[in-house]
Amino acid sequence: MSNCVLFTVLLIKVSVSVLKKYKDVEGVVKMEEVNGEELVKRFAEEMEEMLGRKMKSVKVSIHSFEYYNSMLINTVDENGNPLPLGGEFLLEPNEHFNKLPVNTQQSNIQVPTNVYNRDPDILNGVYMSEALNDVFIENFQKDPTLTWQYFGSSTGFFRLYPGIQWIPDENGVSTFDCRNRNWYIQAATSPKDVVIVVDVSGSMKGLRLTIAKHTINTILDTLGENDFVNIIAYSDYVRYVEPCFKGTLVQADLDNREHFKLLIDGIHVKGEGKVKNAMKESFRILNEVCQGSLCNQAIMLITDGAMEDFQDVFEEFNWPERRVRVFTYLIGREMTFAENVKWIACNNKGYYTHISTLADVQENVMEYLHVLSRPMVINHDHDIIWTEAYMDSVAQSLLLMTSVAMPVFSKKKETLSHGILLGVVGTDVALKELMRLAPRYKLGVHGYAFLITNNGYILSHPDLRPLYKEGKKLKPKPNYNSVDLSEAEWEDTEEKLRTAMVKGDTGTLSLDVRTSVDKGRRVLFLKNDYFYTVINETPFSLGIVLTRGYGQYIFIGNVSVEDGLHDLLAPDLTIASEWTYCETDIDPAHRKLSQRQAVVQYLTGKEPDLKCDVQLLEQTLFDAVVTAPMEAYWTALMLNTSGIDEGIETAFLGTRSGLMRFQSLFLSLHRSFLTSTDKENMFTLDHFPVWYRRAAEYPAGQFLYYMPRQDIRGTVEEIPLLSKHTHSQNTLFPLFPAMFSRLTNERLPEVQHHESMCVCLCVYYLRVSLFDYQAMCKMHSHSVSNARPLLSVRTSWPLSFSLSASAHKKKGDILQPCDTEYPSFVYEPSVKETNSIIKCGRCQKMFVVQQIPESNLLMLVVQADCDCSRQHCDRMRSQKIRRRPESCHAYHPQENADDCGGASFISLSASIFFMCLTFSALFS
């Protein structure tokens, strides 16, 4: 008996067994139509409630003293004595904190290596902020879903709860500076429009130019997606470092910042420095700008001297209102022009600093943030901010997070006009935990939820791919948190969905979409209904997608707990480990429970306090009962293997509740696709399995073969998978039993390879174009890729490698973000043989497809050597619709602008610091 015939016989028996059991419980089954508008509203309210708890946790202030330096704890000197500021600090691995060793009873302090950890300002601040420890602990007890809580001081220290051992880098230093983090900068200042003006005259050569470049890069690092920027270089004449951005401001997102850094690295010095025209051009940009933050405006002048008569420029463009602040950075050890450079800053409500070495850059650049924070401090406006997505840098876990933070100021009347910022308090929120509030089973096989920011960037989306592989190591893409919604929902060609969500609207939209599965190899044509709304008190908007068909209805059955529990404990059964059947993260005692263990503990009454999703449990128990005959059937097959071809390895079945039944039909199974690393074939937080998603769109009662991708080099090894789904009296109850067979390279014809050709085997499919706006491309001139880069701002932009890191790499080894068009394929049995040309910019490449006799396979040969990279200035300059933050603090009449650098800095005494951080005073 052939494999195909045997597959059919076995699966028909499977269907009959399941349907017979279904008939027994059909009387308690009902169908409910999913109300997308009600669903997105409820999800948004639950997310608002969860995020609201995080906001409450940062609305704390600061008042016993043990200063634990996180880099020195649990270390000793050569005599075995604890290091100063170190000492014994209990650390225990904690599941909630990514299994990192932490101390949940104590916070501790991190100080950057370039900041003296015994500086009086550091010691005073650490002493006065010690009372935060009790607040952090109390917050965690009230809301066990909280992760990292912290206070970043304007003096540079970072108090973190729970306490950890801070690991230095390979050079033994700690470069982390809380004041550089986005949460600190966004909370400390309102959005800003910045023009950086850099002197590239002949006198700026050597070390001065190196310092100037580092200063520019550091300023760029203080900008975020709510800010706008441009850079002008001047000597005898004025030029934009990016000519494409002439006369405008561009959003300071990660892509644009890294693009500027690349261009700055290539600037050279020549000629005489004439700053006047450069300042005029800068004012013109800021005065005429129609796009930007439209809040704070600043010019950053980086020079080794200013010798011209520049007063008339300020009289013409900036006085008397002084709407644009001017910050000046005097580069080099020479002080001849210090008074001129300082005069510019002091007469334009800015700040002057002298940067003589590379080590001076960080501290001096940060001063401008304190100046911009003055109006907000004087107003006593404790604006709460939420950041875009970022990777967890504390635990180094590659988890996407967002932070909520707010500023802490001095409220002492004597210093009020100086607007003294003490620091920023905040906490992190794991986006994965937030998205658990939109459970998969309510959204259907192709449904999903997603979050975006006010700028249209993705916080969470099942098609967001923030990581890439470099060798065997996973790394964040350089642009991972600036992926626009239009780059994931690319069928929204008119950007109606994006525009509505960015504006914070509530509504619905329908789209015909092509969506890819199996890592882009296959395409599905779907009709999606989008439902979206804003999450109040945040800059975020939530969207959910329901697909016509399976996404329109939910199947609800009811069986007794006793019957369901009996079948739930079967050895061949698992439930989705990433789904939340029961909340195991609230009580620390539950964190080691698997989801199935938690469900059993709850249903048996052993853990009645567990918070569980009752509707999901009902569905899971029902599915366990209905699919119970599978275990006995598969066991009988194992006991009687004489009738089974050895090519059949595995049988499995899945349901919408995340339940899977899985049986290896041979103990000597070579490979199981159900491994923890093979997420494409499991129920995950983002997707139903590939085989489930594909089978759901296949005609009812028919069989589907598909070949999962294998990461095995040197062999041609495929696993045809046969799947079937069952419609029972239009109840849309999807069951997908399937069997495995393996075709090894011994069963396939010999394939010859050539360095300019790519050869593969495939089934009959019609070519369909798909797009990937999150691709990574190599930078060399002869790309061996069958993906065609589109006209894109990213096509020519490299990764944000540091110079030291990239210096050891060949140019051809460096990857860069790019946009690509690539082919996917829809089943098309009429194709026998064809060849054609793929056009690619100014080049082209050929492909040939031919049927393999007596099989359902085709051989595809593609010419591989084709460079397709191109730039496009119009795309680079384009600005998408965005929603500006509601608050802006750019001006206050009481501001004392006399503190403008040099020796005029006003320090804060310990007694004032203590009074400013009292609980009752801060939020009264």
Side-chain angles (χ1 to χ4, degrees):
M1 183 180 293
S2 69
N3 277 358
C4 290
V5 174
L6 184 59
F7 284 159
T8 304
V9 171
L10 293 177
L11 285 174
I12 289 175
K13 290 182 178 179
V14 167
S15 300
V16 170
S17 299
V18 173
L19 289 175
K20 182 179 179 182
K21 184 64 176 180
Y22 169 76
K23 286 288 185 181
D24 296 338
V25 294
E26 188 175 17
V28 295
V29 173
K30 63 178 180 177
M31 290 292 300
E32 289 186 1
E33 186 169 358
V34 178
N35 187 324
E37 294 181 18
E38 181 182 312
L39 204 58
V40 73
K41 181 181 178 182
R42 185 164 73 250
F43 288 167
E45 289 173 349
E46 291 174 355
M47 290 182 179
E48 180 184 336
E49 180 183 353
M50 177 182 178
L51 297 178
R53 294 198 302 269
K54 314 307 178 187
M55 287 188 279
K56 288 181 182 178
S57 71
V58 302
K59 290 182 177 179
V60 296
S61 53
I62 314 176
H63 283 312
S64 154
F65 177 71
E66 289 179 321
Y67 171 12
Y68 286 104
N69 187 304
S70 59
M71 287 186 64
L72 303 176
I73 58 174
N74 300 332
T75 55
V76 296
D77 59 20
E78 61 275 10
N79 298 319
N81 298 317
L83 295 177
L85 302 181
E88 184 178 354
F89 193 82
L90 181 63
L91 296 172
E92 294 180 347
N94 190 299
E95 295 281 337
H96 183 63
F97 293 93
N98 202 40
K99 299 182 180 179
L100 196 70
V102 300
N103 186 325
T104 56
Q105 299 304 311
Q106 182 75 45
S107 61
N108 61 4
I109 301 295
Q110 180 269 343
V111 182
T113 301
N114 64 320
V115 176
Y116 179 44
N117 59 21
R118 288 185 177 274
D119 183 279
D121 286 340
I122 296 291
L123 294 177
N124 287 336
V126 169
Y127 177 80
M128 298 306 170
S129 68
E130 183 65 17
L132 261 183
N133 191 68
D134 293 336
V135 177
F136 289 154
I137 294 173
E138 184 179 355
N139 284 340
F140 189 48
Q141 290 173 344
K142 290 180 178 178
D143 182 6
T145 66
L146 281 174
T147 55
W148 306 105
Q149 300 177 70
Y150 40 80
F151 172 72
S153 167
S154 61
T155 58
F157 76 82
F158 180 58
R159 180 177 288 281
L160 178 67
Y161 172 87
I164 64 166
Q165 175 95 47
W166 200 279
I167 306 299
D169 62 20
E170 62 273 10
N171 299 314
V173 299
S174 176
T175 57
F176 178 90
D177 190 327
C178 62
R179 298 168 298 177
N180 287 339
R181 307 304 293 178
N182 217 346
W183 52 267
Y184 184 99
I185 295 167
Q186 287 187 38
T189 63
S190 295
K192 43 200 172 290
D193 297 327
V194 175
V195 178
I196 302 173
V197 180
V198 58
D199 184 349
V200 292
S201 63
S203 62
M204 287 284 289
K205 63 183 179 181
L207 180 60
R208 290 182 180 181
L209 182 61
T210 302
I211 295 173
K213 290 180 178 180
H214 187 39
T215 301
I216 295 172
N217 289 340
T218 305
I219 293 172
L220 289 172
D221 286 338
T222 66
L223 305 179
E225 62 183 40
N226 288 321
D227 305 318
F228 286 74
V229 67
N230 208 333
I231 305 179
I232 292 175
Y234 74 91
S235 54
D236 300 299
Y237 63 97
V238 176
R239 67 181 179 89
Y240 288 82
V241 296
E242 173 50 85
C244 185
F245 298 158
K246 182 177 181 179
T248 189
L249 293 170
V250 294
Q251 195 169 9
D253 58 26
L254 190 59
D255 281 341
N256 286 338
R257 297 200 308 268
E258 295 305 320
H259 183 51
F260 276 128
K261 288 181 182 181
L262 175 69
L263 297 173
I264 287 299
D265 186 53
I267 63 174
H268 302 284
V269 296
K270 186 179 181 181
E272 182 181 356
K274 297 182 179 180
V275 72
K276 190 172 183 178
N277 288 336
M279 296 298 290
K280 284 185 176 181
E281 183 67 17
S282 301
F283 279 114
R284 286 193 190 100
I285 296 175
L286 295 172
N287 289 339
E288 298 173 7
V289 65
C290 58
Q291 59 188 22
S293 74
L294 304 184
C295 188
N296 282 299
Q297 293 192 319
I299 295 173
M300 310 296 200
L301 175 60
I302 302 169
T303 180
D304 64 346
M307 296 174 287
E308 293 177 88
D309 180 13
F310 36 72
Q311 182 171 334
D312 61 332
V313 177
F314 304 121
E315 290 176 345
E316 178 181 358
F317 291 98
N318 205 37
W319 293 352
E321 292 87 358
R322 292 171 170 79
R323 184 173 54 83
V324 178
R325 299 179 187 267
V326 183
F327 297 88
T328 56
Y329 303 87
L330 180 63
I331 305 298
R333 298 188 182 278
E334 181 60 51
M335 297 290 291
T336 304
F337 305 106
E339 286 304 313
N340 286 345
V341 177
K342 182 177 179 180
W343 184 93
I344 293 174
C346 292
N347 284 276
N348 291 278
K349 295 176 68 177
Y351 200 88
Y352 154 80
T353 57
H354 178 214
I355 305 178
S356 58
T357 68
L358 284 170
D360 297 335
V361 172
Q362 185 67 51
E363 287 295 317
N364 285 303
V365 166
M366 298 306 297
E367 292 295 342
Y368 96 85
L369 295 173
H370 301 148
V371 174
L372 291 186
S373 71
R374 287 173 183 168
M376 178 170 56
V377 175
I378 298 171
N379 277 328
H380 294 173
D381 286 316
H382 299 273
D383 291 339
I384 291 182
I385 63 94
W386 289 89
T387 68
E388 68 270 27
Y390 66 91
M391 294 291 178
D392 183 358
S393 59
V394 176
Q396 298 179 348
S397 61
L398 298 181
L399 285 175
L400 281 175
M401 316 285 285
T402 181
S403 288
V404 56
M406 64 182 298
V408 181
F409 337 113
S410 166
K411 297 187 71 175
K412 189 71 174 175
K413 291 183 179 179
E414 295 91 313
T415 61
L416 183 62
S417 64
H418 297 283
I420 298 175
L421 175 73
L422 302 179
V424 172
V425 63
T427 186
D428 292 346
V429 179
L431 290 168
K432 184 177 181 180
E433 297 306 313
L434 187 62
M435 297 311 293
R436 290 185 187 277
L437 297 177
R440 299 289 313 148
Y441 79 95
K442 291 186 178 181
L443 302 175
V445 57
H446 302 301
Y448 54 90
F450 59 95
L451 284 170
I452 66 169
T453 69
N454 57 299
N455 289 297
Y457 293 136
I458 292 173
L459 279 168
S460 181
H461 192 289
D463 292 333
L464 177 65
R465 304 191 311 278
L467 306 174
Y468 75 103
K469 262 191 175 181
E470 187 174 77
K472 294 184 178 180
K473 191 173 183 180
L474 280 175
K475 291 187 174 182
K477 293 178 181 177
N479 59 326
Y480 73 90
N481 61 355
S482 58
V483 177
D484 195 87
L485 179 64
S486 61
E487 295 170 328
E489 297 290 345
W490 51 268
E491 294 279 21
D492 181 30
T493 53
E494 298 180 8
E495 297 193 356
K496 292 182 179 179
L497 174 67
R498 183 193 182 279
T499 300
M501 293 187 67
V502 165
K503 289 182 176 179
D505 294 342
T506 296
T508 65
L509 181 70
S510 296
L511 290 173
D512 292 311
V513 303
R514 289 163 290 170
T515 184
S516 64
V517 295
D518 197 14
K519 299 179 180 178
R521 295 181 71 204
R522 295 173 176 85
V523 65
L524 300 175
F525 294 87
L526 305 172
K527 180 79 170 182
N528 282 347
D529 292 321
Y530 293 81
F531 304 86
Y532 50 86
T533 191
V534 70
I535 300 180
N536 296 325
E537 306 299 323
T538 77
F540 307 148
S541 288
L542 168 69
I544 66 169
V545 177
L546 299 177
T547 300
R548 301 279 176 90
Y550 283 110
Q552 291 179 278
Y553 304 94
I554 191 164
F555 186 89
I556 299 176
N558 191 15
V559 295
S560 71
V561 172
E562 182 179 2
D563 290 344
L565 264 177
H566 175 270
D567 293 323
L568 190 67
L569 294 174
D572 69 325
L573 186 147
T574 63
I575 58 176
S577 60
E578 290 190 8
W579 291 17
T580 305
Y581 297 81
C582 293
E583 289 281 357
T584 57
D585 206 32
I586 295 177
D587 187 337
H590 297 150
R591 287 182 183 140
K592 292 185 179 180
L593 293 175
S594 69
Q595 281 297 311
R596 187 160 76 157
Q597 289 172 335
V599 168
V600 172
Q601 294 281 317
Y602 174 75
L603 293 176
T604 56
K606 294 179 179 178
E607 293 288 350
D609 294 332
L610 273 167
K611 183 180 179 182
C612 298
D613 188 326
V614 175
Q615 187 180 43
L616 179 56
L617 292 188
E618 287 179 353
Q619 290 191 39
T620 306
L621 293 178
F622 178 83
D623 291 351
V625 170
V626 172
T627 61
M630 299 303 302
E631 181 188 7
Y633 177 69
W634 284 335
T635 301
L637 284 179
M638 290 181 63
L639 297 175
N640 183 21
T641 58
S642 59
I644 301 180
D645 187 278
E646 64 180 16
I648 302 175
E649 296 181 348
T650 309
F652 57 92
L653 173 149
T655 73
R656 179 166 170 163
S657 66
L659 177 147
M660 286 193 68
R661 288 187 179 274
F662 168 75
Q663 183 66 59
S664 298
L665 299 181
F666 290 93
L667 297 177
S668 58
L669 182 62
H670 175 65
R671 173 185 178 270
S672 167
F673 83 102
L674 294 171
T675 62
S676 59
T677 57
D678 199 341
K679 294 293 186 181
E680 283 297 306
N681 287 308
M682 298 291 287
F683 290 89
T684 69
L685 203 60
D686 291 332
H687 288 297
F688 278 70
V690 172
W691 48 269
Y692 194 113
R693 297 176 70 195
R694 293 198 65 220
E697 295 306 312
Y698 212 66
Q702 296 189 28
F703 301 101
L704 171 69
Y705 289 86
Y706 102 90
M707 293 171 286
R709 178 179 308 193
Q710 300 300 300
D711 297 323
I712 302 175
R713 298 182 180 180
T715 65
V716 182
E717 185 175 280
E718 301 287 358
I719 306 176
L721 173 64
L722 182 63
S723 295
K724 180 188 176 187
H725 69 276
T726 304
H727 283 202
S728 180
Q729 298 182 350
N730 297 318
T731 57
L732 299 174
F733 177 54
L735 296 171
F736 300 105
M739 299 279 179
F740 264 162
S741 179
R742 181 180 306 279
L743 293 179
T744 66
N745 55 339
E746 298 174 357
R747 302 188 188 182
L748 296 175
E750 184 177 355
V751 178
Q752 299 293 329
H753 295 275
H754 188 273
E755 61 181 5
S756 64
M757 296 290 178
C758 301
V759 182
C760 66
L761 295 175
C762 55
V763 292
Y764 302 136
Y765 282 99
L766 180 66
R767 187 181 189 276
V768 176
S769 290
L770 295 176
F771 302 91
D772 185 358
Y773 296 101
Q774 302 174 63
M776 300 288 287
C777 302
K778 290 186 177 179
M779 284 184 62
H780 55 62
S781 58
H782 297 288
S783 173
V784 189
S785 171
N786 66 346
R788 178 167 67 87
L790 300 168
L791 302 181
S792 167
V793 63
R794 295 201 188 140
T795 301
S796 62
W797 295 4
L799 286 175
S800 57
F801 292 129
S802 64
L803 291 178
S804 59
S806 60
H808 303 291
K809 295 191 174 187
K810 296 180 180 179
K811 186 176 181 182
D813 294 333
I814 298 177
L815 295 174
Q816 64 180 5
C818 62
D819 297 347
T820 62
E821 178 185 357
Y822 65 94
S824 188
F825 301 92
V826 180
Y827 182 66
E828 178 50 66
S830 64
V831 176
K832 301 297 181 184
E833 180 177 353
T834 187
N835 63 81
S836 186
I837 298 292
I838 301 175
K839 292 185 178 180
C840 182
R842 297 181 179 179
C843 65
Q844 58 188 21
K845 55 185 176 182
M846 178 181 292
F847 71 88
V848 177
V849 176
Q850 186 171 11
Q851 182 186 14
I852 303 293
E854 298 181 2
S855 77
N856 69 333
L857 301 178
L858 300 178
M859 178 173 286
L860 171 65
V861 181
V862 183
Q863 184 180 355
D865 52 344
C866 180
D867 175 31
C868 310
S869 60
R870 289 173 62 181
Q871 300 184 22
H872 199 275
C873 182
D874 289 343
R875 179 99 179 249
M876 293 175 71
R877 289 172 60 94
S878 66
Q879 299 284 337
K880 292 181 178 292
I881 292 176
R882 56 185 294 273
R883 184 170 87 249
R884 292 185 178 89
E886 294 180 359
S887 64
C888 172
H889 306 283
Y891 170 79
H892 198 286
Q894 296 179 21
E895 178 184 344
N896 181 351
D898 293 338
D899 181 11
C900 57
S904 60
F905 177 72
I906 298 177
S907 61
L908 188 65
S909 69
S911 61
I912 295 175
F913 193 95
F914 178 81
M915 295 177 67
C916 298
L917 296 175
T918 305
F919 285 97
S920 60
L922 185 58
F923 291 99
S924 59

